[in-house]
Amino acid sequence: MTIQLHAPETATSAPFTSTPSALARSAGALLADISRQPVLVLAWIVVLIALGWAIAPGLFTQSSPYEGDPALSFTPPSAEHPFGTDRLGRDLLARSIYGAGTTLTATLVAVLIAFGIGSIVGLVAGYFGRWADTAFMRVIDVFLSIPSLLLAMVIVSVLGYSTHNIAIAVGISSIASFARVMRSEVISVVTRDYVRAAYGLGVGRLTVVLRHVVPNALNSVLALAALEVGTSILAVASLGFLGYGAPPPEPEWGLLVAEGRDYLAVHPWISILPGTALALVVIATHRISTSLRKDQRR
Amino acid sequence: MLGYVLSKLGRALFVVWAAFTITFILLFVFPANPVDLLFDPAELNTIPQEVRDQVAAQYGFNQPVFVQYLERLSQAAIGNFGNSVGSGRRVSDSLLEVLPNTLILAAGSLVLAVLIGFAIALLATGTRRPWLRHLVESLPSASVSIPVFMFAILLLQIFSFTLGWFPAFGDQGWQSLVLPVITLAVPVSGPIAQLLVRSFAEEFQAGYVTTSYAKGATRGGIIIGDVFRNASLPALTIAGITFGNLIAGAVITETVFARSGVGRLTQSAINTLDVPLVQGIIVFVAASFALINLLVDLIYPLLDPRLRATLTAQPVRTA
C-alpha cells in the first residue's frame, strides 16, 4: 500500500534529480523490498560473493589455483577442499574463486563494449532517422540474423584465442540488441513535451541530446545491460568451455567445467561444482535484472 | 499486398547478401595474411614460399580483394562456397551430409520446447494459487540461466553414468537422442514460455473472457476454448530467435554428446580455421533465419485477420 502512495512521487522526480531525500527514500524502499523478497536478497548475496571472489580472491582461499599436491589428486569434496581437487591435486574451490576474476572481467568488458557502441548506434539511428536509421538498422538486422554464439566464435577465430578476444567477440555480437532498444527509446523520448519545450527555449541540439534525450533513453538500456550481464557470462563461459579462451592452466569457469568432462563418470565434482557456481551466478543476475525492470515499469 | 511481399523478400535477400559480405570481410580481408590461416599454425614456419604462392593462387588470394569478392559472391549465389580446406570437399556437400542429424535433433527439441512452453503458460494462467504461479513463471528465466553445457553434463551424470538409462555418446538409435533433445529443448523453451505466459495473461484480461464467464463457462473451458488459440499466435513472431537458439545450442549440445551435425561441423571448422567452410555455414544459417522470418511475415497476416485488414488498408507503412 505504501508503494502506491510513494510511486508517483518518485516517478516524476527521478528523471530530473536525485536529491539526498530521494536517495534516502529509495534506500528505505530497498529495505522494505528485502523483507518481502528473500529470493532477491539471496540473489544479491550470490552476486556480491562472486564479485568479492573476482576483486580479492586471496581473501577467500589460501590455496593456489595453479599449484596442487599430486598426492591429493582427485580428492572428493571435503572440509579441507570443499569443491574437491582435480587431476593435478589443485584445489577446485581456489580455481573457481580465481576463475571468477577471469570470467567476470571478460563479461564486464563485453557488456561495456555492447552498451557503448550499441547506445551510440541506437542514438544516431533514432535521433537522426531517415537514411541513418535505415542504414544502421539494416546492418543490425544482419547481426541479429547470425546467432550471437556463432558470430562470437567467428570473431574469436579471426582475433585469436584468448579471454580478451572472447570479451571483444561477445561484446560485438551483443551490440545489436542494445542498438535496437536505444533506438526505440530515443524515438519515443524525442517526441516528449519536455524535449520540445527545451527546443522552444532555444536550447542547442547537442545540449538537448546530452541533457534530455540520452539520460531518459538510457533507463531501458541500463535494464537491458543488467539482463545482458547474465547472458554474457553464459557466452563467455560457453566459449571458454569450447576452448577458445585462456590456455589450460588459467582458471576460467567454462574451462573448469570442460577440464572435468573426461572424468565425469568417476569424479563428477570436477565439472559439476564449478559449473553449479557459474549457474547460480547467472540465475542470480537474471533474478536481479528482472526486479530492476519491474521497478522501472512501476 | 504485393508491395508488402516484395519489401519483405527484399529485406530477406539483403540479410543474406550482407551476411556474406560481413563474413567475407571478417575472414578474407581482415586477417593480415589469409593464406596463413589455411595452414596449421604449428607447421606454418616450415612451409616454403612456393607452396604458399601456389595455395594463394588456388584460392584466388593473389587477386585484388574486390575481384576475389565478386568471384566468391557470384559463386555463392549459385550455392558454391568453394572447397573445404580440411577435407577438400565442397562446402555444400560437407554441410548437407551432417544437416539431417541436426535437423532431427532440432526438430525433436523444438517439439519438446513448445510443449514445455505451453505447459508452463497453461499452468501459470490456469492455477488459482499465487505461489504456484510465481514458481511456474520463474521457470523460463531459470531455463535460460543454466549453461547448456552444464545442463548436458548434469543429465549425463544422472541418466548415463549413475542410472545407466541412456548411452552417453555417439548416435546409435533413438536412445542416444533422448538426452541431447532434452538438453537443447530446455534453453530453447525459455523465450517461448516467457512469451506465451505474457500473451496468455493478456488475453485472459480481454473482454470476451468476461463475456464467456457471464455465459457460464468455466475457467478451464475459457482457457482451452477461447484464450488458447488467440494467445498462441504471437509465439510465431519469435520463430527466428528460436531457430538461432536451436543452432547456437546445437553447437554445444553436439560437442558435449559427441554427435555429428552442423553445430559440431561449425566448431571443428572454426578450430581448424577452415575459412570457406565457416563462411558457408554462417551464410547458410543467416539465410535460413531470413527465410523463416520471411515465411512468418507472409503467413502471419493469413492467420490473424486483424493484421490482414491493416495490410490491405496501407500496404507499405506496416512493412
Side-chain angles (χ1 to χ4, degrees):
Chain A
M1 261 151 273
T2 40
I3 310 169
Q4 285 197 329
L5 282 174
H6 280 294
E9 216 176 314
T10 38
T12 44
S13 62
F16 301 108
T17 52
S18 53
T19 54
S21 69
L23 268 178
R25 208 181 302 137
S26 64
L30 191 72
L31 280 176
D33 272 353
I34 285 175
S35 57
R36 247 177 295 120
Q37 299 184 297
V39 182
L40 186 62
V41 178
L42 216 60
W44 273 109
I45 292 173
V46 169
V47 168
L48 289 178
I49 290 176
L51 284 177
W53 285 11
I55 295 165
L59 289 180
F60 293 87
T61 178
Q62 304 302 317
S63 317
S64 157
Y66 301 107
E67 279 153 42
D69 182 355
L72 291 175
S73 65
F74 298 129
T75 316
S78 62
E80 202 183 336
H81 299 288
F83 280 21
T85 64
D86 65 3
R87 182 173 55 91
L88 301 171
R90 293 176 298 196
D91 182 58
L92 281 166
L93 179 63
R95 284 179 68 69
S96 303
I97 288 173
Y98 280 87
T102 322
T103 306
L104 295 183
T105 313
T107 305
L108 185 71
V109 173
V111 173
L112 285 179
I113 291 175
F115 176 77
I117 302 180
S119 305
I120 294 172
V121 169
L123 177 65
V124 171
Y127 187 77
F128 292 103
R130 297 182 208 194
W131 66 265
D133 191 24
T134 316
F136 275 126
M137 285 304 118
R138 286 298 85 79
V139 175
I140 293 300
D141 273 353
V142 180
F143 275 90
L144 288 172
S145 72
I146 304 170
S148 44
L149 183 72
L150 252 58
L151 186 60
M153 282 166 77
V154 174
I155 297 172
V156 165
S157 74
V158 174
L159 295 178
Y161 299 171
S162 78
T163 310
H164 294 290
N165 291 342
I166 282 190
I168 297 172
V170 171
I172 295 177
S173 62
S174 8
I175 288 174
S177 39
F178 280 93
R180 278 222 318 202
V181 171
M182 184 70 174
R183 171 182 173 269
S184 62
E185 283 299 307
V186 167
I187 287 176
S188 89
V189 168
V190 162
T191 56
R192 299 270 168 84
D193 286 343
Y194 54 82
V195 173
R196 294 201 179 137
Y199 281 130
L201 291 169
V203 181
R205 264 194 145 186
L206 191 67
T207 320
V208 171
V209 169
L210 293 181
R211 293 255 346 234
H212 299 290
V213 178
V214 172
N216 288 298
L218 271 187
N219 271 335
S220 299
V221 186
L222 284 173
L224 177 68
L227 181 72
E228 201 69 25
V229 168
T231 317
S232 295
I233 295 177
L234 281 182
V236 168
S238 300
L239 291 170
F241 176 82
L242 291 172
Y244 299 127
E250 212 59 38
E252 192 277 322
W253 284 351
L255 188 64
L256 285 177
V257 178
E259 280 175 348
R261 253 179 79 199
D262 296 341
Y263 311 105
L264 199 57
V266 250
H267 312 297
W269 65 86
I270 302 178
S271 277
I272 289 177
L273 291 181
T276 307
L278 163 65
L280 282 179
V281 172
V282 180
I283 292 174
T285 56
H286 273 167
R287 182 67 194 80
I288 292 170
S289 81
T290 315
S291 84
L292 288 179
R293 267 177 300 160
K294 268 190 198 144
D295 284 353
Q296 207 190 26
R297 246 179 270 146
R298 236 183 245 160
Chain B
M1 197 67 195
L2 187 68
Y4 174 78
V5 174
L6 283 180
S7 84
K8 290 289 175 193
L9 189 66
R11 256 170 102 158
L13 285 175
F14 173 81
V15 163
V16 180
W17 168 78
F20 176 89
T21 308
I22 287 176
T23 47
F24 181 84
I25 294 170
L26 269 175
L27 295 165
F28 290 92
V29 182
F30 193 67
N33 196 347
V35 183
D36 288 355
L37 293 182
L38 301 177
F39 296 105
D40 185 347
E43 301 166 8
L44 195 59
N45 293 326
T46 60
I47 291 160
Q49 190 59 43
E50 303 90 78
V51 178
R52 287 186 194 204
D53 291 343
Q54 198 186 336
V55 171
Q58 191 187 333
Y59 282 91
F61 288 139
N62 50 358
Q63 287 168 315
V65 170
F66 198 65
V67 176
Q68 285 181 45
Y69 174 74
L70 287 181
E71 210 154 278
R72 289 200 166 265
L73 183 61
S74 60
Q75 284 298 308
I78 53 168
N80 178 15
F81 286 90
N83 294 337
S84 155
V85 177
S87 61
R89 300 169 54 206
R90 284 172 68 117
V91 167
S92 46
D93 291 347
S94 314
L95 196 55
L96 288 176
E97 184 188 51
V98 293
L99 190 60
N101 283 331
T102 302
L103 282 182
I104 292 171
L105 173 68
S109 303
L110 183 63
V111 170
L112 186 58
V114 170
L115 288 178
I116 295 174
F118 274 114
I120 288 177
L122 286 175
L123 204 56
T125 322
T127 183
R128 285 197 182 85
R129 296 179 180 82
W131 65 267
L132 183 62
R133 196 178 61 240
H134 285 301
L135 181 77
V136 170
E137 280 179 350
S138 69
L139 287 178
S141 165
S143 78
V144 292
S145 299
I146 300 171
V148 182
F149 54 86
M150 189 56 214
F151 192 64
I153 279 175
L154 279 178
L155 287 180
L156 272 177
Q157 175 58 27
I158 297 170
F159 294 102
S160 263
F161 297 131
T162 308
L163 298 173
W165 289 358
F166 302 105
F169 304 108
D171 20 13
Q172 338 109 10
W174 64 272
Q175 281 117 326
S176 52
L177 202 60
V178 175
L179 295 183
V181 163
I182 297 174
T183 303
L184 188 52
V186 165
V188 169
S189 74
I192 300 176
Q194 219 156 24
L195 187 133
L196 286 177
V197 166
R198 215 180 310 136
S199 154
F200 270 73
E202 256 167 42
E203 288 294 327
F204 204 62
Q205 309 285 326
Y208 62 83
V209 172
T210 318
T211 312
S212 292
Y213 267 130
K215 284 179 169 173
T218 59
R219 191 182 172 94
I222 292 172
I223 292 175
I224 300 294
D226 300 337
V227 174
F228 192 88
R229 188 170 160 247
N230 291 319
S232 308
L233 211 50
L236 265 184
T237 54
I238 57 162
I241 294 170
T242 304
F243 168 77
N245 290 341
L246 281 170
I247 292 291
V251 174
I252 303 210
T253 308
E254 289 172 356
T255 305
V256 176
F257 291 97
R259 291 175 56 83
S260 74
V262 176
R264 191 117 169 274
L265 185 71
T266 313
Q267 207 225 343
S268 72
I270 284 184
N271 287 350
T272 54
L273 276 171
D274 196 332
V275 178
L277 191 54
V278 173
Q279 189 185 33
I281 293 171
I282 300 288
V283 174
F284 172 75
V285 169
S288 312
F289 180 92
L291 183 68
I292 288 169
N293 274 345
L294 178 68
L295 288 177
V296 170
D297 282 340
L298 297 184
I299 290 173
Y300 208 87
L302 299 180
L303 299 176
D304 191 337
R306 288 167 302 180
L307 209 65
R308 196 162 54 214
T310 54
L311 270 184
T312 36
Q314 27 172 225
V316 190
R317 292 293 293 279
T318 42

